[in-house]
Amino acid sequence: MLLTLWLCLGLVCYVYIGYPILITVFASLRRRRINTAPIRPSVSLIVCAYNEEDIIGKKIGNCLRLNYPKNLLEIIVVNDGSTDKTATIINEYANQPGVNIIQSSTRQGKATAMNRAAALAMGEILVFSDARAIYHAESLDMLVRNMNDPEVGCVNGNRTLQKNKSPIFNSENSYWSYEAYIKTKETQCRSTISVSGAMLALRASLFEPIPIDMILDDAFLAMQALRKGFRVVYEPAALCFQNSAMSTRDEILRRQRIAAGRFQLVANAKKLWPWKDKLAIFQLVSHKIMRLFLPFFSAGVFVSSAVLMLYPNTPVIVAILFWAQLAFGLLAVIGWVSEKIGWKLGVLGIWYYIASGNFASLSGLIRYSKGRQTVLWEKARRME
């Protein structure tokens, strides 16, 4: 039982602390630079939308104001069967030079929408964007400068949260800062395996149609580039802005979908993973896959320490671990209650955010195993 305790505790510590330290050491020992240059290839900026009437007009306006030559920028907006006024708003831009509109009367999912847009795109670089991601004026320049390096096939931008009154803003912002650090170090090693669909650039020559049942389309595109021997890099200077989730429940919806998508990647590892890139496999398992099993590792720590507490002469360190876990659970519950009654979470939000992330992983496993997670996801509400 003691062995189980140390094994599970070691795995938890590795995921949260050990891997970030290890990848930092790797980056310092074998730093791979990117041969960037201020190039301006033709770009197709693809925006897929479903029921985005409150933001789609602002998003298209943002795209039109980007500081990139108009003759080199093509904006493709896909309406994926919206049931609100999204289609009407998009059509207002139908005669706008450089804007192409694709309307679908039925909802088929983001992967299908992205495939339709990519099939019509004329740009050398495809940039996929969420409808709610507002780009900094220089973002495209910051993205494509990395494509000057012939080894780079995919570039992920910097998803930045705008400060707002969401009760989980601080927790979510801390998480994204943590992720950005790891992605930076992974990129310095060679490639990052963590990408966000808010701002994702891919060489058009590398694009292959996304399977229509693929839950994580952005991860699929990154894997595609890695399998073909190209680097996937993170560009912190390519900024896009989004608001944080309105509540922890909304964040759980997003994270359980991601968890289900990662279990799908595991189930299809043979054909999807970049097996020739051993470093990328190590990063994928350490950074993303092991996180899926944190609920089980954590449960292993709790159960084994609880059983050991029944034994006489329980080691002090075991008692400390047992009571620390109870304190962690209590803080998470207090955080949950605080959010329900409208109190500011403060430091309690961090413990609640971590606990909710583990719950989302477990929920994602259940949803995927039962076939309940489809590409037609339920959108998380975000603060405006």
Side-chain angles (χ1 to χ4, degrees):
M1 191 60 68
L2 193 59
L3 178 61
T4 300
L5 171 64
W6 293 125
L7 177 61
C8 291
L9 180 63
L11 290 170
V12 171
C13 291
Y14 175 76
V15 172
Y16 284 126
I17 303 171
Y19 175 67
I21 292 174
L22 198 57
I23 203 68
T24 299
V25 173
F26 285 175
S28 66
L29 295 177
R30 50 166 295 171
R31 184 162 183 167
R32 292 283 298 273
R33 300 192 180 278
I34 305 170
N35 182 23
T36 61
I39 61 171
R40 279 186 161 174
S42 57
V43 171
S44 293
L45 177 53
I46 297 171
V47 181
C48 300
Y50 171 73
N51 285 359
E52 303 285 6
E53 63 179 4
D54 60 326
I55 194 69
I56 192 63
K58 180 179 179 180
K59 174 61 178 178
I60 298 175
N62 171 245
C63 294
L64 290 169
R65 290 189 297 272
L66 293 175
N67 186 19
Y68 205 80
K70 302 305 178 187
N71 62 317
L72 296 175
L73 177 60
E74 172 189 38
I75 301 167
I76 303 177
V77 185
V78 186
N79 170 37
D80 184 33
S82 297
T83 56
D84 61 0
K85 297 179 182 178
T86 298
T88 302
I89 296 171
I90 289 176
N91 279 335
E92 294 175 2
Y93 296 88
N95 296 321
Q96 179 76 39
V99 177
N100 294 324
I101 306 298
I102 300 175
Q103 296 280 11
S104 174
S105 58
T106 57
R107 190 182 183 195
Q108 297 174 294
K110 191 175 180 182
T112 298
M114 292 168 69
N115 288 339
R116 292 183 65 187
L120 297 177
M122 302 298 291
E124 300 168 76
I125 307 297
L126 307 179
V127 177
F128 297 95
S129 175
D130 288 345
R132 293 185 174 273
I134 301 301
Y135 285 14
H136 186 280
E138 309 296 331
S139 288
L140 293 185
D141 275 327
M142 296 298 101
L143 278 178
V144 301
R145 68 180 182 175
N146 294 276
M147 296 297 189
N148 180 67
D149 191 326
E151 292 186 348
V152 173
C154 182
V155 187
N156 192 208
N158 183 359
R159 179 183 183 270
T160 304
L161 293 182
Q162 298 188 97
K163 190 169 180 60
N164 54 56
K165 295 181 180 180
S166 167
I168 68 167
F169 169 78
N170 290 329
S171 300
E172 191 176 353
N173 193 50
S174 296
Y175 168 77
W176 282 108
S177 297
Y178 171 78
E179 276 293 291
Y181 175 82
I182 296 176
K183 290 160 72 170
T184 298
K185 295 305 175 183
E186 288 178 338
T187 296
Q188 290 172 359
C189 288
R190 185 177 189 273
S191 292
T192 181
I193 49 77
S194 177
V195 296
S196 166
M199 182 189 285
L200 189 66
L202 181 76
R203 293 185 188 273
S205 59
L206 299 182
F207 181 85
E208 293 179 3
I210 304 166
I212 60 174
D213 63 343
M214 183 58 53
I215 299 171
L216 298 182
D217 43 80
D218 47 5
F220 176 83
L221 294 176
M223 293 290 180
Q224 196 174 92
L226 289 170
R227 286 198 307 273
K228 294 180 179 181
F230 287 83
R231 295 178 68 183
V232 176
V233 302
Y234 171 62
E235 175 52 80
L239 298 173
C240 72
F241 304 95
Q242 284 186 314
N243 289 319
S244 60
M246 190 173 291
S247 68
T248 302
R249 179 186 178 278
D250 292 289
E251 180 66 359
I252 287 174
L253 284 175
R254 184 187 72 84
R255 294 173 78 179
Q256 73 181 12
R257 173 180 174 271
I258 291 174
R262 287 178 187 161
F263 280 113
Q264 183 184 48
L265 291 178
V266 172
N268 295 277
K270 185 176 181 180
K271 64 179 180 180
L272 294 180
W273 289 21
W275 291 106
K276 293 182 179 179
D277 190 335
K278 303 305 180 186
L279 178 59
I281 294 296
F282 166 73
Q283 292 173 331
L284 178 61
V285 172
S286 297
H287 189 175
K288 295 300 181 183
I289 305 306
M290 288 183 69
R291 285 188 186 180
L292 296 174
F293 300 96
L294 278 171
F296 304 101
F297 301 155
S298 300
V301 175
F302 181 75
V303 172
S304 57
S305 62
V307 171
L308 287 168
M309 286 291 289
L310 300 176
Y311 284 63
N313 302 317
T314 301
V316 174
I317 186 64
V318 172
I320 292 174
L321 284 171
F322 176 74
W323 291 111
Q325 290 173 91
L326 288 182
F328 171 83
L330 179 61
L331 290 172
V333 170
I334 293 174
W336 174 70
V337 172
S338 297
E339 183 180 357
K340 288 292 184 182
I341 62 179
W343 289 354
K344 289 187 177 180
L345 298 182
V347 70
L348 295 177
I350 297 175
W351 306 116
Y352 182 31
Y353 193 84
I354 293 172
S356 67
N358 287 336
F359 173 79
S361 293
L362 188 59
S363 177
L365 170 60
I366 295 171
R367 290 178 68 87
Y368 177 69
S369 62
K370 292 187 175 182
R372 288 163 47 196
Q373 182 64 61
T374 71
V375 293
L376 306 179
W377 73 95
E378 182 181 351
K379 296 189 302 178
R381 297 173 303 162
R382 294 197 171 272
M383 296 293 292
E384 299 299 338

